[in-house]
């Protein structure tokens, strides 16, 4: 209990001074309460792609697990459009109070190279929380259209024999499959003609139908058709073989040492989000991705749990931004 002298002294202060002291104390009190109480309400996770896609599916699997640990629902908010820039812009405008996050995917990271300046800076307006999943990319061919092509070198030989007239398709101009193929063409000194589609589904449909003979696709879109033997996988872009396709060699193993092309997703928060929130979310993300059931669910849809710290995620963002930005510039690639 305060002494009579201290009470008297405090009461002798003029009201404006007392108000100033209270004003100074309130942020400290509020900050302490926030640190203890967060999360006190549901968290919104903006997924800047449509429901059912690889980013959406991975987000829901991980969010469900994290919700249990955080004892608050993580609500998925799909805001698709323009390679994820619509959703990312919404996240950049959101309050940095720890209740809004966004799932970054490779197309969104590279969007400014393809679309020009965005309304936000992916590096200045966001803080990395951690990487979530890796999405392997796989080179597939139609076995009826290219019956003798069973390896990457076989496809390259076929492309050279065709004088650069052999077609390949992707999910769209500027898609990760497009960028990967163009880089591979440059390194391998061969040419193929790009036939872009608007999305993986129509591209895969025409690939199976024989309208186009080859495609570099994310594993999610083609895995069922590989298993049904409607498509033949001849190479994976990642640095290591994929457990779902253990017999398919990497691009690196087939004459291109060091080649590594992997699409991925990571959790970001609006810049200014309190560090204690970032640390807690990152820790819960790491725990969720270490869970065997979460790993199995992700693998069942063709993606793989791949936690990295906020610092490692930030480094990967910059490395991929610069690497694929150069591919885009060198090949004069646009989103058209």
């Amino acid at each position: 209990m305060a002494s009579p002298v201290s009470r008297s002294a405090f009461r002798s202060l003029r009201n404006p001074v007392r108000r100033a002291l209270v004003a100074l104390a309130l942020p400290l009190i509020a900050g302490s309460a926030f640190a203890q109480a967060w999360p006190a309400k549901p968290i919104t996770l903006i997924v800047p792609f449509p429901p059912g896609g690889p980013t959406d599916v991975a987000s829901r699997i991980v969010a469900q697990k994290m919700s249990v640990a955080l004892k608050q629902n993580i609500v998925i908010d799909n805001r698709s459009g323009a390679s994820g820039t619509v959703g990312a812009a919404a996240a950049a405008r959101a309050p940095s109070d720890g209740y809004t996050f966004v799932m970054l995917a490779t197309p969104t990271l590279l969007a400014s190279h393809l679309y020009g300046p965005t309304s936000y800076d992916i590096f200045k307006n966001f803080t990395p929380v951690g990487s979530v999943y890796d999405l392997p990319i796989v080179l597939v061919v139609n076995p009826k259209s290219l019956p003798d092509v069973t390896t990457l070198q076989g496809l390259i030989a076929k492309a050279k024999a065709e004088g650069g007239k052999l077609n390949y398709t992707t999910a769209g101009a500027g898609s990760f499959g497009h960028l990967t193929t163009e880089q591979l063409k440059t390194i391998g000194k061969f040419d193929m003609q790009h036939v872009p589609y608007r999305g993986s589904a129509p591209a895969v449909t025409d690939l199976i139908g024989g309208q186009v003979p080859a495609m570099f696709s994310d594993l999610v879109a083609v895995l069922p058709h590989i298993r049904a033997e409607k498509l033949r996988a001849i190479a994976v872009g990642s640095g290591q073989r994929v457990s779902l396709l253990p017999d398919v060699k990497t691009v690196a193993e087939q004459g291109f040492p060091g080649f590594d092309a992997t699409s991925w997703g990571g959790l970001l928060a609006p810049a200014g989000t309190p560090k204690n929130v970032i640390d807690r979310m990152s820790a819960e993300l790491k725990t969720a991705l270490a869970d065997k059931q979460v790993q199995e669910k992700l693998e069942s849809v063709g993606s793989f749990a791949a936690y990295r710290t906020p610092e490692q995620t930030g480094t990967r963002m910059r490395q991929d931004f610069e690497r694929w930005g150069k591919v885009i510039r060198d090949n004069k690639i646009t989103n058209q």
Side-chain angles (χ1 to χ4, degrees):
M1 179 178 293
S3 68
V5 175
S6 61
R7 286 180 180 178
S8 160
F10 185 75
R11 287 171 181 166
S12 68
L13 293 173
R14 294 183 178 181
N15 285 340
V17 177
R18 280 194 283 177
R19 286 198 296 270
L21 291 172
V22 171
L24 288 171
L26 280 175
L28 298 176
I29 296 170
S32 176
F34 179 87
Q36 294 173 6
W38 185 91
K41 61 181 182 179
I43 296 166
T44 296
L45 173 55
I46 295 176
V47 175
F49 295 94
T55 303
D56 176 72
V57 173
S59 297
R60 291 176 187 276
I61 291 170
V62 175
Q64 183 180 34
K65 185 66 177 179
M66 292 178 67
S67 293
V68 176
L70 292 168
K71 298 180 181 179
Q72 286 290 348
N73 287 335
I74 298 179
V75 181
I76 303 297
D77 182 4
N78 293 97
R79 299 198 190 188
S80 61
S83 289
T85 57
V86 172
R93 295 191 300 268
S96 53
D97 58 2
Y99 290 97
T100 301
F101 295 84
V102 63
M103 188 65 74
L104 173 76
T106 299
T108 312
L109 175 64
L110 304 178
S112 64
H113 290 304
L114 297 164
Y115 289 86
T118 55
S119 62
Y120 57 88
D121 186 307
I122 197 68
F123 298 104
K124 293 181 180 179
N125 295 124
F126 294 99
T127 299
V129 175
S131 68
V132 179
Y133 65 89
D134 282 348
L135 184 61
I137 189 166
V138 58
L139 182 57
V140 292
V141 299
N142 182 310
K144 294 181 180 179
S145 301
L146 299 174
D148 299 326
V149 174
T150 58
T151 65
L152 173 58
Q153 290 299 341
L155 180 65
I156 293 174
K158 179 69 173 176
K160 289 181 176 180
E162 293 284 337
K165 295 180 181 179
L166 187 66
N167 292 334
Y168 79 94
T169 187
T170 68
S175 65
F176 194 62
H178 184 197
L179 304 185
T180 303
T181 309
E182 291 302 312
Q183 185 174 58
L184 186 59
K185 283 167 51 180
T186 299
I187 298 171
K189 297 181 173 57
F190 68 97
D191 195 17
M192 295 174 69
Q193 298 304 309
H194 185 213
V195 181
Y197 280 72
R198 291 188 178 274
S200 293
V204 172
T205 297
D206 276 8
L207 178 64
I208 293 172
Q211 283 83 357
V212 284
M215 178 180 185
F216 232 137
S217 169
D218 62 69
L219 183 57
V220 173
V222 294
L223 183 59
H225 307 296
I226 294 171
R227 288 173 170 168
E229 299 184 351
K230 293 179 179 179
L231 297 176
R232 177 189 296 143
I234 62 173
V236 292
S238 51
Q240 304 293 325
R241 292 197 191 190
V242 176
S243 60
L244 296 174
L245 300 172
D247 297 328
V248 180
K249 293 181 179 180
T250 66
V251 169
E253 289 177 300
Q254 299 186 64
F256 300 91
F259 190 92
D260 186 354
T262 304
S263 185
W264 60 282
L267 194 62
L268 305 183
T273 298
K275 186 177 184 302
N276 68 289
V277 173
I278 299 295
D279 292 344
R280 174 78 186 281
M281 281 291 283
S282 187
E284 297 297 353
L285 175 63
K286 181 179 182 180
T287 299
L289 293 174
D291 183 82
K292 186 176 180 180
Q293 288 187 336
V294 170
Q295 294 174 358
E296 290 174 349
K297 287 179 181 179
L298 288 172
E299 288 185 24
S300 71
V301 295
S303 57
F304 296 84
Y307 174 79
R308 292 174 181 83
T309 66
E311 295 75 19
Q312 290 169 333
T313 302
T315 297
R316 190 180 193 188
M317 287 172 62
R318 290 198 173 276
Q319 288 175 340
D320 276 14
F321 186 82
E322 293 170 6
R323 173 189 174 182
W324 296 111
K326 185 177 187 305
V327 172
I328 292 167
R329 292 190 300 273
D330 289 351
N331 292 280
K332 298 179 174 58
I333 296 172
T334 69
N335 65 310
Q336 300 299 319

